[in-house]
Amino acid sequence: MNIEIGIIGAMDKELEDLISMLEDRGTDSISGIDFHTGILSGKSVVIAKCGIGKVFAAMCAEIMILRFSPTLIINTGVAGAVADGIVTGDIVVADTLCQHDMDTSPIGDPLGLVSGINKIYFDADKRAVEILKGRAADMGLKVHVGRIATGDRFVAGAEEKSRIRKLFSASACEMEGGAVAHVAFVNSTPFAVVRAISDSADGSATEDYPTFLSKAAARSAALTLALVERW
Ligand code: ADE
């Protein structure tokens, strides 16, 4: 099957609605990750749960690209709010992504620099960003287009949140998008990252995250479906 779109999420809740809608479903298991192929809204797609964190996300994106060659990879899920004015339930569509825990500054590099390719920021596909922004507005969702900062840490403190906001001008933080972006970039594959806010990435995050996770995850998945329809 010629796959048009690949969809990656970290957790079951972020993908269960989309997987349940797949027609003509098949599954390919590679390196412990199930790649569900099928038809979603008339488009051929592959959907995979990568697991939490940058290494799993990178593995999943690389396998997806090499095995299925999608024309677009979408990373969907939840995120913590970093910029002022972004609250639980809001949507953040990434225009750029970075890795806030990438740090070779002791040897003279700027924080966040990915050595070798010499990049801090990775650009999401512009057409996908525009579609996501428009569809979110159509759905009555509050949408912010901005930078998403990724790292292998659940951010749950005012100090770390403020560090990420100041150093990277980020709108939201999560744990996979920057890795998907990095892998997509080196493979010249267009990508988009869409997230719904589940918490404020501060002292209230550990309480808010389990409370809002399901609703936020479903909201991001619904917007992902809207992008698939229009792609
Ligand atoms: N995903 C959702 N909330 C998050 C947070 N506060 N930190 C990192 N990843 C998240």
Side-chain angles (χ1 to χ4, degrees), residues 11 14 52 77-82 100 149-157 164 173-176 195-202 205-206 209 213:
M11 298 177 288
E14 292 170 329
I52 293 171
V78 298
V82 172
H100 66 73
T150 299
D152 279 326
R153 259 198 310 274
F154 188 91
V155 179
I164 293 170
C173 63
E174 38 80 308
M175 302 180 69
E176 295 83 25
R195 298 276 175 159
I197 298 298
S198 56
D199 62 89
S200 301
D202 56 13
T206 47
Y209 175 78
L213 171 63

Side-chain angles (χ1 to χ4, degrees), residues 5-19:
I5 300 170
I7 301 171
I8 296 175
M11 298 177 288
D12 287 324
K13 278 188 181 351
E14 292 170 329
L15 296 173
E16 61 197 9
D17 293 351
L18 297 171
I19 291 174

Side-chain angles (χ1 to χ4, degrees), residues 3-87:
I3 297 290
E4 289 168 87
I5 300 170
I7 301 171
I8 296 175
M11 298 177 288
D12 287 324
K13 278 188 181 351
E14 292 170 329
L15 296 173
E16 61 197 9
D17 293 351
L18 297 171
I19 291 174
S20 71
M21 293 169 70
L22 267 184
E23 295 164 43
D24 298 335
R25 202 166 135 179
T27 303
D28 237 350
S29 296
I30 305 171
S31 302
I33 300 174
D34 288 341
F35 292 84
H36 304 283
T37 54
I39 305 296
L40 187 65
S41 267
K43 305 270 164 53
S44 58
V45 303
V46 55
I47 306 178
K49 181 187 79 171
C50 61
I52 293 171
K54 290 180 358 185
V55 172
F56 278 140
M59 277 174 61
C60 185
E62 184 72 20
I63 295 167
M64 195 174 259
I65 290 167
L66 295 180
R67 171 75 180 77
F68 300 98
S69 310
T71 63
L72 176 74
I73 288 191
I74 309 168
N75 175 220
T76 177
V78 298
V82 172
D84 291 337
I86 301 181
V87 298

